[in-house]
Amino acid sequence: MSNHISTSNVLECSGLQKTFNGNVAVKDVGFHIDAGETYGLLGPNGAGKTTCISMICGILQRDSGDITVCGEPLDIGSVTAKSSIGFVPQDLALYPDLSARENMMFFARLYGLSKTTLRRRVDEVIELVGLTERADDQATEYSGGMKRRLNIGIGLLHEPKLLILDEPTVGVDPQSRNAILESIQRLSSEGMAVLYTTHYMEEAQRLCDRIGIIDRGELRAEGSQRELVSLVGERDKIRLESASGLESASTALRGLNGIVEAAVENEGLSLIVDDARSLLPQIIAKVAESGAVITNVAVTEPDLETVFLHLTGRALRD
Amino acid sequence: MRSAFIITIKDLKQRARDRSALLMVFVIPLALVLIFSQALAGVTGSPSELKFVFADPDKSEIGTVFHDQVLKTLEADGLITLSLAVTEEEASGAIAAGDAGAAIVIPSGFEESIYSGSPDAIQVIGHADAFLSPLVAKAIADSFASELNTLIISAAAAGVDLADAGALGRIAGEIALTKGIVTIDDFSASRKELDATTFYSAGMAIFFVFFSVQFGITSLIEERNRGTMPRLIAAPIPTWSILAGKVLSTFVVGVMSMAVLVVASTFIVGAEWGDLVGVTVLVLLAVLSAMGIMTLVATVVRTAEQAGNAQAIVAVAMGMLGGTFFPVAQIGGLIEKVSLLTPHAWFMRGLSGLQSGGNLGDVWQEAAAILIFALVTGAIGFARARRLVAP
Ligand SMILES: Nc1ncnc2c1ncn2[C@@H]1O[C@H](COP(=O)(O)OP(=O)(O)O)[C@@H](O)[C@H]1O
Ligand SMILES: [Mg+2]
């Protein structure tokens, strides 16, 4: 199968499968990423994103499937393939009793950086993630955002061909988040292939050239944002907000002609409808009937959340 | 191997920053050795400190035999120092003056009392501050008296007339010639024990090395809890090097903790460890056995906290049983046998062999026993620890 892999494919994986104690966490997942391309795995908590990434990084044994990185087959023991990957785990992965510089020196050595480039590269990355002033303080004294940035920096030390980030912005303040997203965009423009997982639609839209929508371990659709949205067709998205009663409203609305999907997510009801303008009066009446007090209504073009709702019948965030 | 070294150095750096680990590894054991050696300075009974004064106001044949054949033999063997007094008062005076730790007095009328069939006791007078001398003096006197009794009874049964000239002397003389003087055997046995200072230095060294090495396996658990384990596995290094790095850093810390104690106790409190090669081998093996046991203990429980507790319990229990706080070898019997289920006991035995002039060849059995502990527990513990190298 390796003869049809194009040389520009930094990551190629197919048929990935993982079962935990009889529960399928990842089922037949496959995709590829080119150099300079950012690929997003978008899906809710528990969709199987981390499991996919763990197999691709070679830290979790897969049940079946193939992975090649820069043309090298990857397995748990594959030293060569692993050396092309920069990995930023979802949970902070650093030594709190060591400083940012010591953390980076340690991992840079593990990635085989030579003595001559070691210090220069560590200084560069410390600068890149904005930790220059605190570089020699123990990481335990850092703020949450600083730890996150250090966590990401460690993955960049050896200038990997493929950068894998697992929800790197969870629990990060908006300013740091913005800085993180900007540096990923810059790295991508320099030719790095990026695999990025998130359950935030906005991040996927802003960052990713192509997006795979993953739910319950399966890749449900894949493509650019435009391609994915076109799956929804010429339809509208309506979002209603109310403090209560949305569940019964949702049930009532599903029976209405012209309503394609309805799903509740934290104090909001998302609908996909054929034509918002003609249906809106009926919808509002139905919701009022079921006892909910509407505090806000928004009609928009379909977006990635709409796509997810369309594909799975459920909201992306619940 | 390069990656294993990188991990080792990182671990050692972390260990050096951990104040409580430094306390446990170096400071506390050394402090305890100092305290023990201070506390023991007053009561240790190194044989040359067993100073006895002997008085025989009875001027009997038995007294002469006891002096010539029992006490003089002990003195000739270098086990005691003996001086003589004429009266009980003089003996008491010598004790009061601090010239002797205990007095053994054959009371006047002693021989008479034997003819009468209800023998008096041999008197032992001890110095108030002396701990060991009166005990030893009493043991010597008692064993002599009881042997004497036995022989008198059997002589009487055989129809010997005790009142015959020289009969009692011959009987008493038999005690010294037969295995009668138990105390001599006792003393030569106890001479093979380590002297008190070395004993506590060695005891603390092996007791605390179990705490020094326990971080090795718990740091592996910690790497998982902190999320750094996935990062290590994702790195382009063979996975075995992660475990190898941990083993190596643990070994280094264990050896350092024991080495510091060996060197410091030698120079500060004058411990005598014996043959350098033998001590080195015993120390290295002791570290390995501690690593094996602590790893095994940590892998049979579920959480890092449970691991820490279980390790502490096992380390203390084995240390007690293994005779690092008091010499189980002198207690003898079942406890001594059970203590051999710990590497501590073998380590202490090996060291006493070295201290009494042996080299590695003389203590190879002890070394082999410790090695077996290391291999068995290490193999099982290592196999079980491998599953910890996973995300
Ligand atoms: N080590 C594991 N053991 C058992 N189940 C697991 C394990 N890791 C993940 N899972 C299950 O696999 C599914 C996917 O999890 P995960 O990949 O972490 O999702 P995501 O990263 O998208 O939130 C979840 O149902 C989760 O409970
Ligand atoms: Mg996840």
Side-chain angles (χ1 to χ4, degrees), chain A residues 20-21 25 44-52 90 167:
Chain A
F20 291 113
N21 316 315
N45 282 328
K49 304 184 293 296
T50 299
T51 306
C52 275
Q90 178 170 2
E167 309 209 35

Short mmCIF file of all heavy atoms in Angstrom, two decimals, chain A residues 20-21 25 44-52 90 167, ligand 1:
data_model
loop_
_atom_site.label_atom_id
_atom_site.label_comp_id
_atom_site.label_asym_id
_atom_site.label_seq_id
_atom_site.Cartn_x
_atom_site.Cartn_y
_atom_site.Cartn_z
N PHE A 20 -11.64 -0.60 24.17
CA PHE A 20 -11.29 -0.70 25.60
C PHE A 20 -12.32 -1.59 26.29
O PHE A 20 -13.49 -1.22 26.36
CB PHE A 20 -11.30 0.67 26.28
CG PHE A 20 -10.20 1.59 25.83
CD1 PHE A 20 -10.49 2.74 25.11
CD2 PHE A 20 -8.88 1.32 26.14
CE1 PHE A 20 -9.49 3.60 24.72
CE2 PHE A 20 -7.87 2.18 25.74
CZ PHE A 20 -8.18 3.32 25.03
N ASN A 21 -11.91 -2.70 26.81
CA ASN A 21 -12.81 -3.61 27.53
C ASN A 21 -14.14 -3.82 26.80
O ASN A 21 -15.21 -3.71 27.38
CB ASN A 21 -13.13 -3.09 28.93
CG ASN A 21 -11.90 -2.55 29.63
OD1 ASN A 21 -10.86 -3.19 29.61
ND2 ASN A 21 -12.02 -1.38 30.21
N ALA A 25 -13.70 2.52 21.12
CA ALA A 25 -13.38 3.93 21.31
C ALA A 25 -13.07 4.59 19.98
O ALA A 25 -13.41 5.76 19.76
CB ALA A 25 -12.21 4.09 22.25
N PRO A 44 -17.14 16.03 20.15
CA PRO A 44 -17.40 16.30 21.57
C PRO A 44 -16.50 15.47 22.47
O PRO A 44 -15.77 14.60 22.01
CB PRO A 44 -18.87 15.89 21.74
CG PRO A 44 -19.08 14.86 20.69
CD PRO A 44 -18.21 15.24 19.54
N ASN A 45 -16.58 15.72 23.76
CA ASN A 45 -15.83 14.92 24.73
C ASN A 45 -16.21 13.45 24.61
O ASN A 45 -17.38 13.13 24.50
CB ASN A 45 -16.11 15.39 26.16
CG ASN A 45 -15.34 16.65 26.46
OD1 ASN A 45 -14.24 16.86 25.95
ND2 ASN A 45 -15.92 17.52 27.28
N GLY A 46 -15.22 12.60 24.61
CA GLY A 46 -15.47 11.17 24.54
C GLY A 46 -15.63 10.65 23.13
O GLY A 46 -15.91 9.47 22.92
N ALA A 47 -15.40 11.52 22.13
CA ALA A 47 -15.60 11.10 20.74
C ALA A 47 -14.52 10.12 20.29
O ALA A 47 -14.72 9.35 19.35
CB ALA A 47 -15.63 12.32 19.83
N GLY A 48 -13.36 10.19 20.94
CA GLY A 48 -12.27 9.31 20.52
C GLY A 48 -11.07 10.06 19.97
O GLY A 48 -10.14 9.46 19.43
N LYS A 49 -11.05 11.37 20.16
CA LYS A 49 -9.95 12.19 19.63
C LYS A 49 -8.61 11.81 20.26
O LYS A 49 -7.64 11.55 19.57
CB LYS A 49 -10.24 13.69 19.88
CG LYS A 49 -11.56 14.18 19.31
CD LYS A 49 -11.73 15.68 19.50
CE LYS A 49 -11.87 16.12 20.96
NZ LYS A 49 -13.10 15.59 21.61
N THR A 50 -8.60 11.78 21.61
CA THR A 50 -7.35 11.48 22.29
C THR A 50 -6.88 10.06 21.98
O THR A 50 -5.69 9.81 21.80
CB THR A 50 -7.52 11.67 23.81
OG1 THR A 50 -7.87 13.03 24.06
CG2 THR A 50 -6.25 11.33 24.57
N THR A 51 -7.82 9.15 21.88
CA THR A 51 -7.45 7.77 21.55
C THR A 51 -6.80 7.71 20.18
O THR A 51 -5.77 7.04 19.99
CB THR A 51 -8.70 6.87 21.62
OG1 THR A 51 -9.32 7.04 22.89
CG2 THR A 51 -8.34 5.42 21.43
N CYS A 52 -7.38 8.42 19.20
CA CYS A 52 -6.77 8.47 17.86
C CYS A 52 -5.35 9.00 17.93
O CYS A 52 -4.40 8.41 17.39
CB CYS A 52 -7.56 9.43 16.96
SG CYS A 52 -8.95 8.66 16.18
N GLN A 90 -2.96 16.46 25.85
CA GLN A 90 -4.11 17.22 26.33
C GLN A 90 -3.89 17.70 27.76
O GLN A 90 -4.14 18.86 28.08
CB GLN A 90 -5.34 16.31 26.27
CG GLN A 90 -6.61 16.95 26.79
CD GLN A 90 -7.83 16.09 26.46
OE1 GLN A 90 -7.73 15.01 25.89
NE2 GLN A 90 -9.00 16.59 26.82
N GLU A 167 -6.29 19.28 22.07
CA GLU A 167 -7.05 20.31 22.81
C GLU A 167 -6.14 21.22 23.64
O GLU A 167 -6.29 21.31 24.86
CB GLU A 167 -8.09 19.65 23.72
CG GLU A 167 -8.96 18.65 22.95
CD GLU A 167 -10.35 18.52 23.53
OE1 GLU A 167 -10.90 19.53 24.01
OE2 GLU A 167 -10.89 17.40 23.48
N1 LIG C 1 -7.66 3.92 28.87
C1 LIG C 1 -8.97 3.81 28.64
N2 LIG C 1 -9.66 2.79 29.18
C2 LIG C 1 -10.97 2.64 28.95
N3 LIG C 1 -11.70 3.48 28.20
C3 LIG C 1 -11.09 4.53 27.63
C4 LIG C 1 -9.69 4.75 27.83
N4 LIG C 1 -9.33 5.87 27.14
C5 LIG C 1 -10.47 6.32 26.56
N5 LIG C 1 -11.51 5.53 26.84
C6 LIG C 1 -12.89 5.68 26.34
O1 LIG C 1 -12.80 5.84 24.94
C7 LIG C 1 -13.69 6.84 24.51
C8 LIG C 1 -12.94 7.92 23.78
O2 LIG C 1 -12.17 8.64 24.70
P1 LIG C 1 -11.20 9.80 24.25
O3 LIG C 1 -10.39 9.31 23.11
O4 LIG C 1 -10.47 10.26 25.43
O5 LIG C 1 -12.19 10.94 23.75
P2 LIG C 1 -11.92 12.47 23.50
O6 LIG C 1 -10.47 12.70 23.53
O7 LIG C 1 -12.51 12.73 22.17
O8 LIG C 1 -12.62 13.23 24.57
C9 LIG C 1 -14.41 7.34 25.75
O9 LIG C 1 -15.63 6.65 25.84
C10 LIG C 1 -13.51 6.94 26.87
O10 LIG C 1 -14.25 6.68 28.03
#
